[in-house]
């Protein structure tokens, strides 16, 4: 006799479609026997990470047997010194994904609602459903967030609104005026999660920075990550800046040791290496121009992006293009599962990697 564990799961969990991660390089090597693989599928930093982070990890090696600092004091102190936020406004996360889950678990009762955009990060619905909440997906406007419509979607059952600036997988963004008009319409008891995973990549002067707003709006939480521009994706470190009352709540559901010692040490050291982040931003801007030029030459439409990736319309099923590129040793991300059946997202890599991608794409589409 066996139990029907599917029926046993909560209705929300039954509705979850598991997150589809980018294909690992080693997996493609095994499958195709290829050696020279280019992975442009997970918005990783092609420069790796700061040498200060590597040194910090090495120094931490002697302490493997000890639990990490559950209070993340050194990381909080580095964030305080760099951005000016008191420790009681900082929540460390096992990646910023952890922050999204903590928010959903702490604030959403079964049946209550969270609002997010069409073509938004796949983890928002996942976190909401896992908490037995109801996800309300608002149609996108030109592939980006329709903040006016999102504000209108908020009702008495809404607990959280998730917005990303820039957004993944589209790379779209909104400006200060749109954001301020949006916040003015959101009730004080609805928490707005502003996900700024890619903000360090933005080159435009005057681009909005969520940290400028957390004092003004007690119902605003800004999440940041060390996975992208800081290049620490494998270590899983992110954090939230929010009102002390919100932070206090998140701390109740946060696992006591949610960030490991290597992650803490590397993230703390990375905050001291602005030059690395600036070099990453510059390389990305040049690579973005390179890939845009290549897509233009192929006559492919793309969505202008301020992040470290760009989405383009391959004009045929994205899965086919993805599979064909794999055979050329190039891993990209089809985003059919984001409601964009013929679109592909490619992360910006090193100049040579971008060239390999464009060459392979030319061959595959040709
Ligand atoms: C990559 C990404 C994150 C960061 O995830 P981590 O858990 O910090 O690695 C968060 N939000 C969006 C929109 C992302 O694309």
């Amino acid at each position: 006799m066996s139990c029907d564990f599917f029926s046993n799961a909560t209705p929300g969990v039954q509705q979850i479609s598991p997150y589809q991660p980018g294909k690992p390089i080693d997996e493609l090597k095994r499958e195709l026997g290829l050696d020279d693989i280019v992975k442009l599928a997970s918005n990783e930093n092609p420069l790796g990470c700061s040498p200060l982070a590597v040194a910090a990890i090495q120094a931490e090696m002697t302490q493997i047997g000890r639990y990490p600092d559950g209070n993340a004091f050194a990381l909080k102190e580095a964030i305080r010194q760099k951005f000016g936020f008191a420790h009681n406004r900082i929540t460390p996360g096992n990646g910023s994904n952890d922050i999204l889950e903590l928010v959903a678990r702490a604030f959403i009762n079964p049946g209550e609602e969270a609002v997010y955009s069409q073509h938004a990060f796949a983890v928002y619905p996942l976190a909401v459903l896992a908490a037995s909440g109801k996800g309300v997906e608002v149609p996108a406007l030109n592939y980006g967030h329709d903040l006016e419509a999102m504000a209108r979607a908020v009702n008495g059952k809404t607990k959280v609104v998730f917005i990303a600036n820039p957004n993944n997988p589209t790379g779209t963004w909104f400006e200060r005026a749109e954001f301020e008009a949006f916040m003015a319409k959101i009730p004080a008891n609805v928490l707005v999660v502003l996900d700024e995973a890619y903000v360090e990549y933005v080159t435009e002067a005057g681009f909005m920075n969520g940290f400028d707003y957390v004092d003004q709006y007690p119902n605003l939480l800004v999440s940041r990550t060390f996975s992208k521009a800081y290049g620490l994706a494998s270590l899983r470190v992110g954090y939230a800046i929010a009102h002390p009352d919100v932070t206090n709540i998140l701390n109740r559901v946060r696992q006591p040791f949610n960030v490991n010692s290597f992650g803490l040490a590397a993230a703390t050291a990375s905050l001291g290496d602005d030059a690395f982040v600036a070099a990453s931003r510059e390389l990305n801007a040049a690579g973005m121009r390179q890939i845009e030029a290549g897509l233009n030459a192929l006559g492919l439409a793309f969505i202008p992006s301020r992040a470290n990736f760009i989405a383009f319309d391959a004009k045929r099923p994205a899965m086919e293009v993805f599979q064909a590129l794999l055979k050329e040793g190039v891993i990209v991300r089809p985003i059919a599962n984001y409601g964009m059946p013929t679109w592909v997202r490619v992360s910006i890599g090193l100049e040579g990697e971008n060239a390999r991608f464009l060459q392979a794409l030319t061959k595959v589409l040709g």
Side-chain angles (χ1 to χ4, degrees):
M1 199 191 78
S2 69
C3 171
D4 178 358
F5 282 106
F6 187 83
S7 307
N8 237 0
T10 66
V13 169
Q14 289 179 23
Q15 287 172 55
I16 287 178
S17 21
Y19 183 79
Q20 297 174 7
K23 196 177 183 71
I25 291 175
D26 284 342
E27 192 176 303
L28 187 60
K29 281 188 181 169
R30 278 198 306 274
E31 287 174 7
L32 296 187
L34 289 175
D35 229 18
D36 187 16
I37 310 277
V38 170
K39 184 186 176 204
L40 300 174
S42 301
N43 305 339
E44 294 152 342
N45 192 327
L47 294 178
C49 69
S50 163
L52 298 185
V54 176
I57 290 169
Q58 274 160 350
E60 202 58 45
M61 294 278 199
T62 57
Q63 303 300 314
I64 288 178
R66 304 222 175 262
Y67 278 102
D69 174 6
N71 187 36
F73 177 85
L75 176 59
K76 286 182 185 170
E77 185 56 17
I79 291 169
R80 186 188 69 77
Q81 287 180 15
K82 195 170 177 69
F83 300 112
F85 296 109
H87 290 211
N88 67 354
R89 307 184 69 179
I90 306 169
T91 307
N94 187 257
S96 55
N97 275 293
D98 191 22
I99 299 294
L100 306 173
E101 286 191 9
L102 296 180
V103 166
R105 202 183 320 150
F107 290 104
I108 301 177
N109 284 298
E112 288 182 336
E113 298 182 2
V115 172
Y116 43 79
S117 176
Q118 182 188 19
H119 315 312
F121 191 36
V123 171
Y124 307 152
L126 221 139
V128 173
L129 289 171
S132 296
K134 181 178 167 221
V136 176
E137 185 182 288
V138 175
L141 184 65
N142 299 325
Y143 298 105
H145 291 11
D146 184 344
L147 290 182
E148 283 183 26
M150 291 180 78
R152 281 197 301 272
V154 171
N155 62 44
K157 283 190 263 172
T158 311
K159 283 299 191 68
V160 181
V161 183
F162 291 98
I163 54 179
N165 199 35
N167 181 50
N168 173 26
T170 56
T172 51
W173 66 92
F174 47 81
E175 307 280 359
R176 285 181 186 276
E178 296 163 77
F179 173 70
E180 288 169 13
F182 166 78
M183 288 304 292
K185 292 180 210 140
I186 303 298
N189 62 340
V190 173
L191 185 68
V192 173
V193 174
L194 171 57
D195 180 343
E196 292 191 325
Y198 299 97
V199 75
E200 294 89 358
Y201 279 112
V202 178
T203 52
E204 282 72 14
F207 190 77
M208 88 159 243
N209 175 342
F211 285 176
D212 292 346
Y213 289 101
V214 282
D215 288 339
Q216 186 180 342
Y217 304 120
N219 61 332
L220 176 66
L221 176 151
V222 177
S223 73
R224 296 269 180 109
T225 182
F226 288 94
S227 298
K228 307 286 159 58
Y230 289 97
L232 301 179
S234 68
L235 294 174
R236 317 300 307 122
V237 195
Y239 62 99
I241 302 294
H243 190 278
D245 294 351
V246 173
T247 307
N248 172 309
I249 291 298
L250 296 182
N251 249 313
R252 294 172 188 220
V253 288
R254 182 175 70 83
Q255 279 189 30
F257 305 107
N258 64 333
V259 187
N260 70 74
S261 304
F262 298 120
L264 288 173
T268 305
S270 293
L271 284 176
D273 195 346
D274 288 340
F276 177 81
V277 175
S280 302
R281 180 165 46 237
E282 280 160 34
L283 179 80
N284 186 67
M288 184 69 81
R289 288 191 293 269
Q290 181 188 0
I291 292 193
E292 283 180 353
L295 294 172
N296 278 329
L298 287 168
L300 296 175
F302 56 81
I303 305 169
S305 166
R306 289 197 174 169
N308 67 338
F309 55 83
I310 185 165
F312 63 93
D313 185 358
K315 296 187 288 194
R316 62 185 79 178
M319 213 50 203
E320 281 176 31
V321 179
F322 166 70
Q323 295 289 355
L325 286 172
L326 284 184
K327 297 207 176 80
E328 303 298 318
V330 177
I331 313 175
V332 294
R333 186 76 75 97
I335 50 175
N337 60 329
Y338 283 86
M340 300 169 76
T342 59
W343 289 74
V344 172
R345 188 194 72 189
V346 60
S347 306
I348 309 300
L350 301 171
E351 187 181 354
E353 296 176 321
N354 301 335
R356 268 266 314 265
F357 157 71
L358 288 169
Q359 216 173 16
L361 185 66
T362 306
K363 181 171 167 191
V364 160
L365 296 181

